[in-house]
Structure formats: C-alpha cells, structure tokens
Amino acid sequence: MRIDVVTLFPDFVRECMKSGVVGRAQQRGLLQVQAWNPRDYATDAYRSVDDRTCGGGPGMVMMIDPLRAALQAARGAAREHAVKPARTIYFSPQGVRLTQARVEQLAKMPRLILLCGRYEGVDERLLEAEVDEELSLGDYVLSGGELAAAVLIDAVGRLQEGALNDALSAQQDSFSDGLLDCPHYTRPVAHELGGVPAVLQSGDHAAIRRWRRKQSLGRTWLRRPDLLARCALDDESRKLLEEFRQEFEAASRQKD
Ligand code: 4HQ
C-alpha cells in the first residue's frame, strides 16, 4: 500500500512512522509513505500557504492553490499503485468518526492520499473539489491533521499482510469482532500485585477461550454498552454474558 500525505510538517509525519510495526512494514516494503509540503508549491515570494479568513475574525485558513498543486504532484507520483484515482481523505472534527470497520476497508486500498490541515482549516472550495472523505478521530480539537493522519497510517499499516509477526493477533484485537479485548497477563504468575486467573494456567484451551470471550463480553457491557448494542450475539455469547452479569452483581452485593 502507498500513502501520500500532504502536510506543512513532512518531517513530523516521517518521524512518526519510523518505529515499531509501521516502521517495520515500511522496511519490509509492505507500506510506502511519502510526504508532500504545500509550501514547496507556493508561488509568491513569501511562499505563503495561508491567508486571513474571509468575513473577518481570528485565525488563518489554508489557501487553495498551494494545496491543489501539492495534491496534484502527489497524485501524479507512483501511478502504478492504482488503476483508479487514489481516495483523498481530510481530517477534521466535522468528519465521520473513524472506526476499526472503516480502517479495515481503507487498509485494502492500494493507495490513499491524506490531507492535513493547520490553522482554522482549509478553504471549503478545495475540500469540495478534491476530497472524497472527511474523517474525525474524536470530539476534541487537535492543532493539525498530522496526528490524525499518523493514527490512520498506524491503524492501516499494521493490517498490511505480513506487518504483524503473528498474523492471528490482528484477528484477536479489540473491535475486530465489535467487542473490547479481554485482560492479558504474563509471567511471573505470582506477584505482590496479585495472581493470574487460574484458568489461564490450566492448559484447558476450550476453557481459556470461553473465559476470554466472557471477559470481552463483560467488559464491553460494563464500559461500552453502545458497542454491545450493535452486536448480534450467538447463544453461547449470551450465556457467557449472563454468567458475567450474575457474577458481577454478586460481587457488587458483597461490597455493600
Ligand atoms: N483537527 N480529528 C483542526 C482535528 C481533528 C480531529 C484537524 C483540528 C484539522 C485544521 N482531525 N485542523 N478531531 O481536531 O481529525
């Protein structure tokens, strides 16, 4: 997969992608990230990329032309990565919330172009003409789209075939089946902070699988009931969740 990022901070974006799974995916040739700076496409003597907001008031807005030229350069590069024109994504709090389901779809695309805004954002006419999809990370305000782009690259990068050393681990992530992840433990099994649940030391793989599923269901019920409402649970899952609820309620009664 190839991702082109249009940003006033190309070094920051490149630096973000160096470590861990995503850095390795790039080294393995599974992911190619290139940054494009709209300032390199500015045409005036000051290399301006922003201007005052029309209508007055505080803040600056990113101008159409340097961004359009940078996008055009990005699209023109490495055309072999796509038959169709690359999908262009802009990040802002006005966008659709990014979910793991969308990440999984985007990860399959051969190519993406990510547009990062700074200041008050980008001239609306450029967004209308050049952007296919507007995404938000959440209901808070960042100082620029770069961290949002880095989040998306991280989330799609780790899903590239061969990026994770253990292919099964992606299947067991939080959200991969719409539920939160179960708790994890490692050695030592005896520690002053407590023990490890006995079932995880039993070697009974069916019992371990059931325990993990039950914990996932229970935690989703406790922490993210909104997610649980969207899940179609099978008979076993409903039974496990009912067990979790009863144990949880019994434990709460003990505390009072
Ligand atoms: N911004 N999710 C404003 C965000 C944001 C978010 C990015 C702030 C773009 C111009 N991006 N700039 N939340 O807060 O994606």
Side-chain angles (χ1 to χ4, degrees), residues 163-181:
L164 296 174
N165 285 330
D166 186 348
L168 282 179
S169 64
Q171 275 174 37
Q172 293 180 4
D173 284 331
S174 304
F175 308 121
S176 54
D177 58 359
L179 297 174
L180 300 182
D181 204 0

Side-chain angles (χ1 to χ4, degrees), residues 90-93 117-121 135-138 140-142 144-145 148:
Y90 177 66
F91 298 97
S92 89
R118 283 267 153 181
Y119 319 113
E120 304 313 304
L135 290 176
S136 170
L137 286 199
Y140 40 79
V141 182
L142 304 171

Side-chain angles (χ1 to χ4, degrees), residues 151-162:
V151 166
L152 182 64
I153 296 169
D154 189 280
V156 300
R158 64 190 288 285
L159 293 182
Q160 299 306 301
E161 181 89 55

